[in-house]
Amino acid sequence: MSARFEEIDWRPTAMGDISLRRRRDPASGDDVYEVKLGDEFLMSSLFTAGEIALTRLGLAQLPHTEPEELDIAVGGLGLGYTARAALEDPRVRSLIVIDALGEVIDWHQRRLVPLGASLASDPRCRLVQGDFFAMVADSRGLAPQTPDRRFHAILLDVDHSPRHVLHPRHAALYQPAGMRALASRLHPDGIFALWSNDPPDEQFNSVLAQVFAESEAHVVDFDNPLQEGTAANTVYVARKAADAN
């Protein structure tokens, strides 16, 4: 196998064949890690600005200032950039990262991806295999061992966008009833933040406005060397009312 390309792992899953690949970027000489589900690229270590901005924009809206007082939940582990950005915030006391694919969690635990060692070894961080979307709707919530547990922030990076979902059952979360169920997992004044690969969506902005006290769509621009220009993601940030249950 060429030193410029390596398929590190490949496995069949209920969602399709998933693979972890590493290739040498000819421009920079750096190793680039990529994840494919079937024939579709899910993520790349070449483009992480949106995932990092998801955490930073979301946590910036929290009023807490003391170290180790925030409990955070993340839907979607991927290559770990959203989770690592959360652990870099000294206010974070605990982090639950939920991913539907045990194979992705295994890559981190076996240190097959660059951030695996730091995430798997951090005592604040727990990697959980589960269906985030089903857990939001379940009475036991996002931490089944602690039913009704609430979080100061929930960060979500699974689907391409509220309109372009990886599985049809995910679509219900992005409707008012789904957002209300998610908001019930937040403390008053808690934050929900969502990554999207599409431009701001007025229909989804309207859904957020029905459920949350405040919401805003942030456009995150970043360099795209593959297109010799820039690209953009959207990060939605919504705050639950201070007097909401």
Side-chain angles (χ1 to χ4, degrees):
M1 185 175 292
S2 167
R4 296 185 59 185
F5 175 85
E6 178 185 7
E7 186 172 73
I8 300 172
D9 196 19
W10 176 94
R11 304 193 207 179
T13 77
M15 297 178 66
D17 297 338
I18 193 166
S19 62
L20 172 66
R21 303 139 50 100
R22 178 175 57 214
R23 64 176 178 84
R24 185 66 52 81
D25 181 56
S28 67
D30 296 333
D31 284 339
V32 176
Y33 289 78
E34 299 170 330
V35 178
K36 291 186 69 177
L37 185 63
D39 294 326
E40 188 173 12
F41 280 95
L42 287 187
M43 61 204 73
S44 168
S45 63
L46 194 61
F47 306 111
T48 62
E51 288 87 345
I52 294 169
L54 169 63
T55 297
R56 293 179 177 171
L57 288 168
L59 299 192
Q61 298 301 313
L62 290 169
H64 303 263
T65 58
E66 297 298 320
E68 297 189 1
E69 65 176 5
L70 297 180
D71 299 316
I72 311 298
V74 171
L77 172 58
L79 292 173
Y81 288 91
T82 296
R84 185 183 71 169
L87 293 172
E88 289 174 346
D89 191 318
R91 299 173 298 162
V92 172
R93 171 173 55 197
S94 72
L95 176 68
I96 292 179
V97 187
I98 300 165
D99 200 283
L101 296 175
E103 293 80 4
V104 174
I105 293 174
D106 184 57
W107 293 342
H108 287 265
Q109 293 173 334
R110 292 167 57 199
R111 280 59 169 173
L112 297 182
V113 291
L115 303 184
S118 62
L119 295 183
S121 63
D122 194 307
R124 296 171 296 164
C125 181
R126 185 156 64 94
L127 306 180
V128 176
Q129 181 181 1
D131 183 336
F132 176 90
F133 299 85
M135 293 168 77
V136 166
D138 193 289
S139 60
R140 295 170 296 173
L142 298 177
Q145 297 84 354
T146 313
D148 299 324
R149 182 180 179 188
R150 293 191 180 190
F151 297 87
H152 297 97
I154 297 174
L155 315 174
L156 180 57
D157 177 10
V158 173
D159 294 310
H160 297 303
S161 74
R163 290 180 184 264
H164 299 106
V165 296
L166 292 181
H167 193 283
R169 67 173 178 270
H170 295 183
L173 180 72
Y174 305 108
Q175 301 304 313
M179 285 291 101
R180 281 192 286 270
L182 185 143
S184 73
R185 308 301 177 193
L186 290 168
H187 288 296
D189 256 342
I191 293 295
F192 168 59
L194 172 72
W195 175 91
S196 171
N197 197 40
D198 287 350
D201 186 322
E202 287 308 312
Q203 181 176 334
F204 184 62
N205 277 328
S206 176
V207 169
L208 292 175
Q210 294 179 51
V211 176
F212 294 92
E214 301 173 5
S215 61
E216 185 175 1
H218 302 262
V219 176
V220 179
D221 295 314
F222 57 92
D223 291 333
N224 186 339
L226 298 181
Q227 298 179 355
E228 297 183 349
T230 60
N233 295 154
T234 301
V235 173
Y236 298 91
V237 179
R239 184 181 63 81
K240 184 175 177 177
D243 58 355
N245 293 324

